[in-house]
Amino acid sequence: MPGWIRRHLVVLAGLCTLAYLVLPNVVVLVFSFNQPNGRFNYTWQRFSLDAWKDPCGVPDLCGALGLSLQLAAWATLGATVLGTLIAFALVRYRFRARGAVNALIFLPMSMPEVVMAASLLTLFLNMGAELGFRTVLVAHVMFCLSFVVVAVKARVMSMDPRLEEAARDLYAGPVQTFLRVTLPIAAPGIAAGALLAFALSFDDFVITNFNAGSTVTFPMYVWGSAQRGTPVQINVVGTAMFAVAVLAVVAARVLTARRKRTRSRR
């Protein structure tokens, strides 16, 4: 047995790490079927499907969820477009202060969120901006931008420029070359950056709490509910979003495997 453990130590460590990461989601899943006696859903009482039948039964929960999804979608769009353009500019072009821009890109990733949140709040107050959805959106775009740039930049740096040169040699115009060659090759990096931006925007609490004003997102709603009693519907929403994320990853893996099989047959 010790010899078998040594041979499979890496696999066992990976499985233990995966179980450690998934365990909180399993707890959320289990307690989404609970029917607590009091306000707090912390101890198991009895099995019930009431929360799943009416996930919006708690006031303002679905409104906060919809607002977070809308905010994350717009922040993802803005951060992905700007981040993709910045990544291409940093990789393909030489300009003054290019090194400084490269260094500044990593600053939001290494800076504590509370510092960025306080700085943005000071900026908005000095500008006289009303705190709300727009200020949170601007803050989220700025926060997610660096992650998109890093993801897209890594993909663009690995691209073979000879493919674009071959397209131009075959009389493809700049737009056609970009749409037919450059964009499909860079698409995995852009998609990775967009998914990361969406997750970061939807999950953010610190920056949102500083700059939201009277706007209440889903993380802020969960934090507020924890002070007076966590409804079971929060577990339902968390379980549903985890299931959607898992299904998206599985679907991506299946599509990738099918494409590889199709290419190998050709």
Side-chain angles (χ1 to χ4, degrees), residues 13 23 45 81 85 101 130 147 158 182 184 191 201 232 234 251 258:
L23 181 60
Q45 301 295 331
V81 173
L85 295 176
V101 174
E130 183 180 357
F147 296 90
S158 64
T182 307
S201 176
V232 184
I234 290 180
R258 286 184 179 179

Side-chain angles (χ1 to χ4, degrees), residues 86 90 98-112 116 142-143 145-151 153-154 157:
I86 293 173
L90 291 175
R98 180 171 172 267
V101 174
N102 263 316
L104 289 174
I105 288 298
F106 289 93
L107 190 60
M109 301 175 63
S110 58
M111 181 186 303
M116 179 179 290
M142 294 182 65
F143 171 64
L145 186 61
S146 299
F147 296 90
V148 177
V149 172
V150 171
K153 183 182 174 184
M157 290 179 65

Side-chain angles (χ1 to χ4, degrees), residues 78 97 125 180 187 205 260:
L125 292 178
R180 296 286 185 89
F205 173 78
K260 288 183 179 180

Side-chain angles (χ1 to χ4, degrees), residues 3 28 31 52 97 159 217 252:
V28 171
F31 278 85
W52 283 92
M159 292 172 56
T217 61

Side-chain angles (χ1 to χ4, degrees), residues 14-143:
L15 291 176
C16 291
T17 304
L18 181 62
Y20 176 76
L21 293 174
V22 175
L23 181 60
N25 298 286
V26 175
V27 174
V28 171
L29 169 63
V30 171
F31 278 85
S32 68
F33 296 99
N34 185 30
Q35 187 174 356
N37 293 328
R39 295 180 301 170
F40 296 96
N41 186 26
Y42 299 150
T43 58
W44 180 263
Q45 301 295 331
R46 55 187 176 275
F47 181 85
S48 175
L49 293 174
D50 293 342
W52 283 92
K53 293 178 181 178
D54 189 15
C56 296
V58 180
D60 300 328
L61 187 149
C62 285
L65 176 62
L67 182 64
S68 286
L69 292 173
Q70 183 182 359
L71 179 65
W74 283 110
T76 300
L77 179 62
T80 302
V81 173
L82 294 175
T84 301
L85 295 176
I86 293 173
F88 271 95
L90 291 175
V91 175
R92 296 292 180 86
Y93 299 97
R94 299 292 182 268
F95 52 89
R96 291 183 179 180
R98 180 171 172 267
V101 174
N102 263 316
L104 289 174
I105 288 298
F106 289 93
L107 190 60
M109 301 175 63
S110 58
M111 181 186 303
E113 284 192 41
V114 66
V115 176
M116 179 179 290
S119 301
L120 287 170
L121 176 60
T122 304
L123 174 65
F124 292 141
L125 292 178
N126 289 334
M127 293 176 58
E130 183 180 357
L131 298 181
F133 182 87
R134 294 182 180 179
T135 56
V136 176
L137 177 59
V138 172
H140 281 206
V141 171
M142 294 182 65
F143 171 64

